[in-house]
Amino acid sequence: MLALLPVTLKLWGVKSLGDAGVSGALAAAAAAVLAAVILQTIWGRLNARKLNLPPGEMEWPIGGLKFYKQGFGGIFAFPGLARKMRNITQPRICLRGYADIKKVLGADGDLAEVAWPASTRALLGERSVTFATGAYHRSLRRLLGPCFAPAAIDSYLPSLECIVERYCAQWADATAAAVEKGGAGSGGDLALLPKMQKEARMLTFEVMAIVVTGLRLSPEQLYDMSHSFDSLTRGMFVPIALPLPGSLYAKARAAQRHLFAILDSQLDALSATAASGQPPTANGGGGGLLAGGSVMERLLGMRDDEGRSLSREALRDLAINLLFAGHETTATSILRMLLVLRSRPDVVSRLRAEQAAVAAAQGEAVTGSSLRCMPYLDAVIKELWRLEPVVPMVPRRARKGFKLTEGWDVPQGWGLALGLAEPMALHPTWAPWAGGKGPAGAPFPPWLPPPADPASDPLHPALFNPDRWRIEAHADTDEGEGAGEGAGARAADTSSPPGTLSCPLNALPPEMLAFGGGVRRCLGANLAWAELKVVTALLVRKYDFAPALEDMEVGGGRCGPWQLGPPHEGWRWQQYVRQHRQWR
């Protein structure tokens, strides 16, 4: 390693190690850094020998690079409930068990803390909800919670329906034009898939920016901000936060500066409106007034214990954080739903019948009441999130050492990768397909190939089957915390047949951590439910879907293929996350 110093110094413009002055200082600094890394590694290994660590490979000095290339879907492809690994230079333990993940999420700030990459912290900001801690974090959630409560979501629906109808009409026109240009059966509309991902992001960004956050953007500004967010997102999770010219991270920082400039003008306008005594914003012009105003109006009025308002830097960070979290993942769910609708005419037929009944009973407008009368659509969304959760993993860092359920030790300071999708994959209802093996057994149901004849085993865990869900009474929360944990969900009903799941409307089983858990559970869960339901409802009411093509495959699964439809439809959802990244 020391032999590399002369080469490194030449890259810095130093001719030889013998040069006086700066060359000696650089050599000493490089040697000191190298010595520190070696000593830290030795010290860590000595301490690790005293602990009962889970199995796994600890590549040295840099590990986990294959996951940055292949995607992190395979990071949890191991037997047991825990595995150790090295992520770049940091040692990490990957967790799959529900009890361990719930323990970590429920002890935020005590056992563990948020540990997103430095690039994420820099681009979302220290004062954002994601990185807020303590009393400041609690104050933010109390302030923002009402903006995502069921009553608030209901007030957004007129504007949301108007926006969705406009985008659906545009998508239908673009699809018809592509098919006409390519010829019937040519699959010319497949070229629209990358565009559809961007279009879905535009839709959800408009909803979040104008209807929820309360920004006053022209169509040109809206497009400009959405495009900048695309650049911001591409650089948000890079492993090394260095703004090298032309790098994704450098482009993301440039996009951040551009977004800050737009937000500054928006904040000035909102501040002027508040100072003039005008009433709170009407939600995108299509709904009634939300008590307390939009998200940004609430943040502008927020005061700490000493009566001080939030700084401009904090307001920017919060706006960036909320806009990112409020549109990116929902857009991905919308695209996946579009692919399901295209490949499963049987599902579309059932959805269409349900929508006809709802419209006949409650009218054509999509309201909060009508959304709560769509149990089959609810089941379709649950099944979509069961097989392909949008956020399959979140990182944490151990603030202190503790033990896992299997007896393994977690050392203080080690990273933690929480597999949010894993508890549902290990749900006891799949036991018959796992050969009766427990959570430590292998193979696990998600990796099981689908049956050759789906009709012979319709409840197989690898099959997309909304009928496995037994939807019960409606469950909503008033605090805007979303549905799921603490919102009507409960332990699995052991009396249900294997392969089936009982759950209230708008809620998820406790093991289904699509929105995370604990004090950092997704604030916008109710909004995500509503957006996906409104988009799907309007699509099946007014539009038809072209059949899937034999050669049409879309990649991504975190754990191998799952079957969207019968084999003759030629539709398997394979490695979607990896290809989804390429689409961007």
Side-chain angles (χ1 to χ4, degrees):
M1 296 290 285
L2 289 174
L4 296 176
L5 285 176
V7 177
T8 305
L9 292 175
K10 286 180 180 179
L11 292 175
W12 290 340
V14 179
K15 295 181 180 179
S16 70
L17 285 175
D19 291 348
V22 66
S23 61
L26 290 173
V33 170
L34 181 60
V37 171
I38 293 174
L39 288 174
Q40 183 182 25
T41 302
I42 294 173
W43 180 255
R45 289 186 175 184
L46 289 174
N47 284 337
R49 290 178 181 177
K50 304 175 184 178
L51 300 172
N52 182 29
L53 297 175
E57 298 181 5
M58 296 292 288
E59 301 167 284
W60 189 88
I62 297 176
L65 294 180
K66 63 182 179 180
F67 296 114
Y68 286 93
K69 180 179 179 181
Q70 303 171 1
F72 282 82
I75 197 172
F76 298 103
F78 59 86
L81 300 180
R83 182 180 72 171
K84 65 182 178 183
M85 62 169 288
R86 190 179 301 279
N87 181 40
I88 309 299
T89 60
Q90 184 190 38
R92 172 181 288 184
I93 294 179
C94 304
L95 302 181
R96 302 183 65 212
Y98 174 64
D100 292 328
I101 293 173
K102 184 179 179 181
K103 178 179 180 179
V104 173
L105 292 175
D108 185 84
D110 179 23
L111 284 184
E113 61 188 2
V114 173
W116 290 102
S119 56
T120 313
R121 185 178 291 271
L123 293 171
L124 289 185
E126 294 284 350
R127 302 287 290 175
S128 63
V129 178
T130 297
F131 295 104
T133 58
Y136 174 60
H137 180 248
R138 291 190 293 273
S139 297
L140 286 176
R141 291 189 71 93
R142 281 197 301 269
L143 183 78
L144 297 175
C147 296
F148 299 97
I153 302 302
D154 288 355
S155 75
Y156 302 150
L157 289 176
S159 296
L160 176 56
E161 182 176 6
C162 181
I163 292 170
V164 171
E165 284 183 333
R166 171 161 44 87
Y167 276 89
C168 287
Q170 294 171 359
W171 297 346
D173 291 343
T175 301
V179 172
E180 182 178 357
K181 181 179 179 181
S186 67
D189 51 337
L190 294 185
L192 287 176
L193 286 176
K195 177 179 172 61
M196 286 302 302
Q197 175 65 10
K198 184 174 181 62
E199 286 288 311
R201 290 203 300 272
M202 275 292 299
L203 186 161
T204 54
F205 185 80
E206 182 171 344
V207 171
M208 192 65 194
I210 295 180
V211 180
V212 181
T213 308
L215 302 182
R216 300 165 185 179
L217 301 167
S218 67
E220 294 76 19
Q221 289 175 315
L222 192 70
Y223 180 85
D224 186 21
M225 284 196 76
S226 179
H227 180 73
S228 295
F229 259 96
D230 289 348
S231 298
L232 186 85
T233 302
R234 291 190 189 102
M236 189 170 289
F237 303 104
V238 296
I240 301 176
L242 288 177
L244 300 175
S247 67
L248 291 177
Y249 183 66
K251 293 177 181 178
R253 292 307 295 261
Q256 182 190 47
R257 291 190 292 271
H258 182 62
L259 289 167
F260 281 169
I262 298 174
L263 288 170
D264 279 340
S265 65
Q266 291 288 314
L267 291 169
D268 290 341
L270 289 169
S271 297
T273 300
S276 69
Q278 294 184 31
T281 300
N283 309 313
L289 294 176
L290 174 62
S294 66
V295 166
M296 293 313 299
E297 287 167 332
R298 285 171 171 268
L299 291 174
L300 283 167
M302 183 177 176
R303 299 292 184 270
D304 62 17
D305 294 338
E306 298 179 5
R308 294 174 299 191
S309 60
L310 290 174
S311 67
R312 179 54 64 94
E313 292 75 16
L315 289 169
R316 287 173 182 165
D317 287 350
L318 288 164
I320 292 288
N321 189 187
L322 291 168
L323 288 170
F324 167 74
H327 89 282
E328 184 71 23
T329 53
T330 307
T332 301
S333 288
I334 288 174
L335 182 67
R336 294 177 179 179
M337 179 63 78
L338 287 169
L339 298 173
V340 169
L341 296 177
R342 175 158 185 174
S343 67
R344 290 293 298 267
D346 58 320
V347 172
V348 173
S349 178
R350 295 271 300 277
L351 287 171
R352 191 163 283 151
E354 181 178 75
Q355 290 303 311
V358 170
Q362 304 202 26
E364 292 291 334
V366 179
T367 64
S369 175
S370 64
L371 286 182
R372 288 183 274 273
C373 295
M374 303 176 184
Y376 186 70
L377 175 53
D378 192 88
V380 171
I381 294 173
K382 285 180 169 69
E383 187 71 347
L384 186 68
W385 285 340
R386 177 185 76 85
L387 287 163
E388 281 297 335
V390 179
V391 182
M393 184 269 287
V394 294
R396 293 291 187 266
R397 182 181 296 108
R399 290 176 59 97
K400 57 186 178 183
F402 62 95
K403 281 191 175 293
L404 301 174
T405 55
E406 290 184 315
W408 306 115
D409 291 314
V410 174
Q412 180 181 7
W414 275 43
L416 296 166
L418 310 184
L420 300 185
E422 302 308 306
M424 198 62 196
L426 301 174
H427 198 282
T429 195
W430 320 128
W433 291 273
K437 298 177 181 178
F444 295 101
W447 285 275
L448 294 177
D453 178 13
S456 67
D457 192 4
L459 295 178
H460 191 287
L463 293 178
F464 181 90
N465 184 1
D467 287 327
R468 76 174 72 252
W469 292 92
R470 298 184 172 188
I471 307 302
E472 302 170 359
H474 173 254
D476 262 332
T477 56
D478 296 328
E479 295 78 17
E481 292 295 301
E485 184 182 48
R490 59 179 182 275
D493 182 0
T494 55
S495 63
S496 298
T500 64
L501 296 154
S502 297
C503 194
L505 195 77
N506 271 15
L508 298 173
E511 300 87 352
M512 198 166 168
L513 301 170
F515 297 109
V519 297
R520 294 190 180 275
R521 192 173 184 279
C522 177
L523 271 170
N526 284 327
L527 179 62
W529 276 103
E531 287 186 89
L532 197 51
K533 284 189 174 184
V534 171
V535 169
T536 308
L538 294 180
L539 280 171
V540 300
R541 286 183 185 186
K542 301 182 179 182
Y543 300 97
D544 293 322
F545 303 90
L549 302 176
E550 290 296 329
D551 59 348
M552 186 174 177
E553 290 186 353
V554 179
R558 70 188 165 79
C559 46
W562 54 272
Q563 187 78 40
L564 266 173
H568 68 272
E569 292 181 349
W571 245 100
R572 284 192 181 182
W573 196 299
Q574 296 176 336
Q575 302 176 347
Y576 174 93
V577 173
R578 184 157 57 229
Q579 189 159 333
H580 164 61
R581 290 197 183 100
Q582 294 172 358
W583 289 353
R584 292 185 184 176

